Amino acid sequence: MYFVKLLAECLPDALKDSALVLPVLLPVYFLIEWVEYKKYANLEKSPLLCGRLSPLVGSVFGSIPQCGFSVAATDLFAKGSLSAGALVAVYIATSDEAVPIMLSKPGRIPEMLLLIAVKLLLGVIAGYLTLLVCPKRPAVKHAEHEEEHDAHGSVGCCKHEIEGGEKFDWKHPLVHCIKIFLYIFVVNLVMNLVIAGVGEDRIADFLGQSKWLQPLLAAVVGFIPNCASSVILTELYLLGGLSFGAAVAGLSVNAGLGLMVLYKENKNVSENVLITAIVAVVGLAAGYVINLFA
């Protein structure tokens, strides 16, 4: 009975949190499909997505408070249309629920702007660091896209060889968006159940340790792939239970569901581990440096 009650409480929140990514994912997937259909640009060679400017572009877009951007960026990376540096920049710059929460408290807006600026700078630094340590790679072919090649004449990375009268394949981005949405929904539901079962008060107590342990503990909570983790970190910081450095550490590794989608979509496990490690190291280092000098 307890589990059924918990499930009934968590199901609406999981559905709502998952639905928040749709306004970003659906237009992005349709735009990519349209660009490839019209052959307006070669996404794998775009200087803004894969070139030297990509970490800067990724950090700027990551600063937009919408969890769908980290998922969309992950999908672009898995298809070979986004550099690893840009992906890491998106992950670190994104703040999920932190910006809306702080924006609702006018007296804390200066702190919100400082948080955004710090994370944007960290995203750029980490992005360029990633470009140095991550080898360039060719576009990745996924099994589902290879199957579509047999059925529709498409080639790697969802590109389509368009013949004279072939119509725009509107079903492909729609189906892909639905698949990602269902995956996100399942993960959100599981994470909501875990957080509800453990209790937010216990998580807050876990974070309320000594100043020097806080960045590490905040990073542990930040890696929870759910909007609730960024809410807990932000609220605890605003209540004075978390230092600014710890908040930066926790929110810098809080890539939302981006990392979960990365391990699902990108089959290069060592690459995924390296990206995760860079995000963790940069977030922790920033948290401890800020605590040291703040």
Side-chain angles (χ1 to χ4, degrees):
M1 280 298 291
Y2 173 73
F3 178 76
V4 173
K5 182 182 177 181
L6 201 62
L7 184 63
E9 291 176 355
C10 294
L11 200 58
D13 287 337
L15 188 59
K16 183 189 73 173
D17 291 343
S18 304
L20 288 175
V21 304
L22 292 178
V24 171
L25 291 190
L26 200 55
V28 167
Y29 289 161
F30 270 95
L31 178 61
I32 293 170
E33 191 79 13
W34 183 256
V35 168
E36 292 175 345
Y37 170 74
K38 288 293 186 179
K39 298 184 180 178
Y40 286 140
N42 186 344
L43 294 178
E44 287 80 3
K45 295 181 179 179
S46 168
L48 293 179
L49 297 182
C50 297
R52 293 180 179 179
L53 289 176
S54 60
L56 178 59
V57 173
S59 195
V60 170
F61 274 94
S63 299
I64 300 173
Q66 222 292 349
C67 52
F69 279 108
S70 65
V71 177
T74 303
D75 207 51
L76 283 172
F77 172 75
K79 293 175 179 177
S81 299
L82 190 73
S83 73
L87 182 67
V88 167
V90 170
Y91 284 171
I92 289 181
T94 188
S95 297
D96 215 356
E97 299 297 324
V99 171
I101 291 174
M102 297 180 80
L103 198 59
S104 68
K105 302 178 185 298
R108 313 304 289 266
I109 288 179
E111 294 167 79
M112 179 200 73
L113 295 176
L114 178 61
L115 176 68
I116 292 173
V118 168
K119 281 165 58 62
L120 192 145
L121 179 61
L122 286 176
V124 173
I125 293 172
Y128 283 108
L129 174 66
T130 305
L131 289 183
L132 291 176
V133 300
C134 276
K136 290 184 179 180
R137 63 191 180 97
V140 180
K141 291 184 179 181
H142 295 289
E144 64 175 286
H145 300 144
E146 290 175 351
E147 290 172 4
E148 288 170 352
H149 169 82
D150 297 332
H152 302 291
S154 63
V155 296
C157 298
C158 299
K159 284 186 170 294
H160 301 274
E161 294 295 337
I162 306 298
E163 298 177 358
E166 188 174 344
K167 295 181 179 179
F168 173 69
D169 184 12
W170 59 270
K171 290 181 291 185
H172 177 258
L174 182 61
V175 169
H176 188 58
C177 188
I178 292 172
K179 287 181 179 178
I180 295 296
F181 168 77
L182 291 175
Y183 176 73
I184 289 173
F185 171 70
V186 171
V187 173
N188 265 327
L189 181 59
V190 172
M191 288 299 105
N192 280 346
L193 288 170
V194 170
I195 292 171
V198 173
E200 292 188 10
D201 290 340
R202 289 184 180 178
I203 296 176
D205 290 341
F206 171 73
L207 288 168
Q209 305 296 322
S210 72
K211 180 180 178 180
W212 297 109
L213 270 179
Q214 278 192 359
L216 176 61
L217 300 178
V220 171
V221 174
F223 267 116
I224 297 173
N226 188 274
C227 295
S229 57
S230 63
V231 171
I232 292 171
L233 290 169
T234 306
E235 291 286 3
L236 197 57
Y237 165 70
L238 292 175
L239 291 171
L242 206 61
S243 67
F244 183 70
V248 168
L251 293 172
S252 292
V253 305
N254 188 237
L257 288 149
L259 283 170
M260 294 296 295
V261 176
L262 177 67
Y263 282 88
K264 176 182 181 295
E265 295 291 297
N266 186 38
K267 305 309 177 185
N268 190 333
V269 178
S270 60
E271 193 173 46
N272 298 341
V273 171
L274 179 59
I275 287 171
T276 306
I278 292 172
V279 171
V281 169
V282 170
L284 278 173
Y288 278 108
V289 168
I290 291 172
N291 268 5
L292 184 63
F293 293 102

